[in-house]
């Protein structure tokens, strides 16, 4: 059993804290948002993440997990302090490290004995040094020089599968220059390491870079396929077949070859931009990453451009949206294609009726009453001139086409996630447009 403090109770912090508690550790999670803390303490997971609510309830009840907004209590509690706060993009794409620095100062201010500070937030190379300095500067005279280590342990969990990813990670990466830290992390992660899944220990800069480079590679695959999808449309090829044929090559592999209406979320868009910034800061070129980002922005907009082929003027038209979350099984709408699409539709004075199984509340915070948030998928269709599909939730995959046709004013379907078989939809009497097919 280890004593752990987790700073930041967002997607990463809540999942990390709860899962470490479930392994038998004693965990205290701290956030500056007192309202969030009160809800978490009462067993409300706040975010939608499969399996999280059960784990939270179980570990709160077992007394292994607690939440606080008291920074002093938080620092005094854990021997290991995980930093899981946000690193959002600044206007120029650079990562905003002010939340990470703020946690570092909190730790420096209140620490009395040794602390292992583990950075899980996604940060540019060299951030560990910034954190070290911030801790040292904040240490009081009476404990000046008290020992601590700062290490990097990037997080790879995927929203929508975060608990499963924590319990069965593809890899655990730890960047450290301290033997003491290495021992502690080996013990902490021992229960979830396997012979085929050891901890990869690296230098700190390598660990920091592994995270950015991994996300940028995945985003690059998506933008690459989206680029090819336009060519498929131009020459009459099918992006699904192209992806299958490519994926059978073991050097390429079949994952992350889907094209669609663009990637979103709190990671890919921000990490691609931030890595481009890091390259530039080192006098290097970021041509590829700029293109990846550019293609993605274009891809989000392409759904509306397709719609305008059928409805050249959107003024006064009603458009139904299926999907608001940036991907299925999450309620997260940060940088979701749906956000860009709604902004474009509203700029052209269209009415929007939207449905998502989990993300309505988060979308309502952005759009308020500018959007009608439907009770269910069919309610979104009532009187609409077209349907846009923006998130591939399973519950959208096998709809009642007859009922859809009755509800829609015009049977136009723009499938931004290629969830339907074009022949089936057309046979049911719809005008259908997918991506790259
Ligand atoms: P989030 O925005 O959901 O949560 C961040 C939390 O930190 C908020 O609750 C905020 O109130 C809190 N916070 C801010 N300042 C604080 C402080 N000084 N002390 C304590 N709490 C503070 O963020 P997230 O999605 O969990 O991401 C956190 C980090 O992990 C980011 O760097 C992100 O890039 C990275 N990451 C995210 C994911 C993901 O899927 N969301 C996956 C891997 C890595």
């Amino acid at each position: 059993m280890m004593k752990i403090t987790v700073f930041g109770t967002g997607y990463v912090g809540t999942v990390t804290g709860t899962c470490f508690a479930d392994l038998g550790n004693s965990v205290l999670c701290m956030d500056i948002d007192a309202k969030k803390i009160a809800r978490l303490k009462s067993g409300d997971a706040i975010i939608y993440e499969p399996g999280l609510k059960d784990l939270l309830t179980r570990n709160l009840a077992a007394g292994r997990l607690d939440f606080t907004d008291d920074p002093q209590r938080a620092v005094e509690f854990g021997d290991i302090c995980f930093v899981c706060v946000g690193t959002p993009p600044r206007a120029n794409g650079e990562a905003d490290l002010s939340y990470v620095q703020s946690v570092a100062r909190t730790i420096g201010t209140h620490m009395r004995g040794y602390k292992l500070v583990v950075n899980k937030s996604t940060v540019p190379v060299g951030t560990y040094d910034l954190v070290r300095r911030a801790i040292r500067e904040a240490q009081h005279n009476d404990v000046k020089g008290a020992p601590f280590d700062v290490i990097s342990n990037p997080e790879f969990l995927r929203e929508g599968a975060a608990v499963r990813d924590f319990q069965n990670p593809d890899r655990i990466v730890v960047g450290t220059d301290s033997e003491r830290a290495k021992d502690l992390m080996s013990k902490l992660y021992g229960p979830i390491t396997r012979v085929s899944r050891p901890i990869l220990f690296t230098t700190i800069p390598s660990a920091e870079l592994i995270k950015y480079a991994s996300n940028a590679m995945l985003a690059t695959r998506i933008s690459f396929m989206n680029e090819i999808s336009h060519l498929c449309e131009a020459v009459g090829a099918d992006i699904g077949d192209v992806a299958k044929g490519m994926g059978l090559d073991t050097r390429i592999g079949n994952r992350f070859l889907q094209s669609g209406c663009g990637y979103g979320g709190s990671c890919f868009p921000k990490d691609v931009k931030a890595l481009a910034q890091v390259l530039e800061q080192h006098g290097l070129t970021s041509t590829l990453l700029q293109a990846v980002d550019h293609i993605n922005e274009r891809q989000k907009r392409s759904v509306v451009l397709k719609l305008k082929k059928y409805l050249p003027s959107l003024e006064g038209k009603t458009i139904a949206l299926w999907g608001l979350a940036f991907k299925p099984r999450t309620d997260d709408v940060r940088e979701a294609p749906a956000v860009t699409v709604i902004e474009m539709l509203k700029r052209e004075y269209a009415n929007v009726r939207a449905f998502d199984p989990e993300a309505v509340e988060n979308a309502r915070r952005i759009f308020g009453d500018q959007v009608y948030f439907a009770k269910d998928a069919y309610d979104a269709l009532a009187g609409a001139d077209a349907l846009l599909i923006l998130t591939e939730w399973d519950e959208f995959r096998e709809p009642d086409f007859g009922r859809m046709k009755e509800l829609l004013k015009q049977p136009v379907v723009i499938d931004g996630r290629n969830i339907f078989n074009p022949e089936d939809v057309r046979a049911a009497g719809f005008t259908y447009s997918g991506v790259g097919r």
Side-chain angles (χ1 to χ4, degrees):
M1 191 277 285
M2 296 198 172
K3 289 184 80 178
I4 299 167
T5 297
V6 174
F7 290 89
T9 58
Y11 287 82
V12 171
T14 307
V15 171
T16 301
T18 306
C19 289
F20 273 133
D22 203 52
L23 293 175
N25 298 292
S26 192
V27 180
L28 180 62
C29 298
M30 187 266 165
D31 203 291
I32 47 174
D33 185 337
K35 280 197 197 120
K36 241 184 189 182
I37 289 300
R39 285 175 66 185
L40 287 161
K41 257 175 115 68
S42 75
D44 173 358
I46 303 179
I47 55 169
Y48 172 74
E49 196 57 63
L52 182 61
K53 170 117 183 89
D54 286 351
L55 283 189
L56 184 71
T57 315
R58 187 162 80 215
N59 286 286
L60 278 168
R64 286 189 294 262
L65 179 63
D66 197 5
F67 294 89
T68 184
D69 61 354
D70 176 350
Q72 183 170 352
R73 186 181 155 215
V75 177
E76 284 171 359
F77 182 86
D79 301 317
I80 305 179
C81 296
F82 277 92
V83 182
C84 301
V85 294
T87 47
R90 292 187 192 278
N92 66 354
E94 203 182 352
D96 177 354
L97 296 175
S98 58
Y99 304 98
V100 171
Q101 283 176 297
S102 165
V103 174
R105 283 193 296 272
T106 301
I107 294 172
T109 305
H110 298 293
M111 65 182 281
R112 292 291 173 265
Y114 174 80
K115 297 286 168 191
L116 171 57
V117 180
V118 186
N119 185 36
K120 243 189 194 316
S121 297
T122 303
V123 292
V125 182
T127 301
Y128 68 99
D129 200 34
L130 210 75
V131 171
R132 260 178 205 169
R133 273 188 283 129
I135 294 176
R136 220 163 261 144
E137 278 164 25
Q139 282 184 324
H140 285 300
N141 280 335
D142 52 339
V143 289
K144 268 261 182 278
F148 65 89
D149 283 306
V150 176
I151 67 170
S152 166
N153 171 217
E155 182 51 61
F156 300 100
L157 61 77
R158 295 161 301 170
E159 286 180 26
V163 170
R164 202 180 59 209
D165 282 350
F166 180 95
Q167 292 165 339
N168 300 286
D170 282 347
R171 78 285 214 200
I172 299 159
V173 174
V174 174
T176 175
D177 51 8
S178 144
E179 282 306 316
R180 183 174 186 177
K182 207 170 169 177
D183 284 351
L184 282 169
M185 292 304 273
S186 299
K187 280 198 194 90
L188 181 64
Y189 277 111
I192 53 172
T193 53
R194 300 283 178 273
V195 177
S196 60
R197 199 171 65 206
I199 301 178
L200 175 66
F201 286 106
T202 68
T203 63
I204 304 175
S206 298
E208 289 175 333
L209 198 48
I210 285 169
K211 174 63 191 176
Y212 267 146
S214 300
N215 274 1
M217 167 65 95
L218 294 171
T220 301
R221 281 173 75 108
I222 296 173
S223 280
F224 180 88
M225 294 311 286
N226 283 337
E227 182 100 309
I228 299 295
S229 76
H230 291 278
L231 185 57
C232 286
E233 287 172 19
V235 301
D238 183 317
I239 191 70
D241 290 341
V242 174
K244 248 181 241 154
M246 289 169 63
L248 287 169
D249 184 329
T250 50
R251 294 168 304 175
I252 295 175
N254 58 12
R255 314 246 337 248
F256 269 82
L257 292 182
Q258 281 85 8
S259 88
C261 55
Y263 59 74
S266 67
C267 292
F268 286 4
K270 133 177 118 56
D271 294 348
V272 167
K273 288 189 187 79
L275 183 55
Q277 272 296 320
V278 175
L279 281 159
E280 304 259 316
Q281 280 161 11
H282 287 81
L284 302 166
T285 157
S286 64
T287 323
L288 174 65
L289 297 175
Q290 280 169 7
V292 168
D293 186 47
H294 175 76
I295 292 168
N296 194 55
E297 285 307 313
R298 188 185 65 190
Q299 203 69 13
K300 291 186 194 172
R301 293 195 299 271
S302 68
V303 188
V304 179
L305 301 183
K306 273 188 183 143
L307 173 68
K308 291 186 74 167
K309 283 191 195 152
Y310 305 101
L311 300 173
S313 165
L314 294 173
E315 189 170 347
K317 297 281 190 301
T318 298
I319 309 302
L321 304 191
W322 280 3
L324 293 162
F326 81 94
K327 66 173 183 178
R329 291 175 290 283
T330 180
D331 59 356
D332 198 344
V333 298
R334 289 179 283 184
E335 306 238 15
V339 173
T340 304
V341 167
I342 294 173
E343 284 167 355
M344 287 176 79
L345 294 174
K346 293 312 290 182
R347 263 201 302 277
E348 303 216 16
Y349 304 105
N351 305 308
V352 178
R353 298 174 70 87
F355 174 71
D356 188 285
E358 295 295 338
V360 165
E361 286 319 309
N362 284 335
R364 202 192 298 277
R365 266 182 224 123
I366 302 175
F367 295 107
D369 56 11
Q370 285 187 73
V371 170
Y372 169 77
F373 292 104
K375 290 188 284 294
D376 57 40
Y378 294 101
D379 180 32
L381 304 178
D385 294 278
L387 164 65
L388 310 187
I389 298 170
L390 304 177
T391 317
E392 63 276 35
W393 284 96
D394 283 343
E395 70 173 78
F396 300 154
R397 287 181 187 274
E398 297 288 343
D400 178 342
F401 286 131
R403 194 168 162 206
M404 284 171 68
K405 211 156 157 239
E406 270 168 30
L407 288 164
L408 282 167
K409 200 155 48 167
Q410 305 194 55
V412 174
V413 175
I414 312 288
D415 183 355
R417 296 295 180 188
N418 286 351
I419 63 171
F420 294 145
N421 177 345
E423 283 162 23
D424 294 348
V425 198
R426 289 191 185 117
F430 289 89
T431 301
Y432 175 85
S433 178
V435 180
R437 29 160 60 176

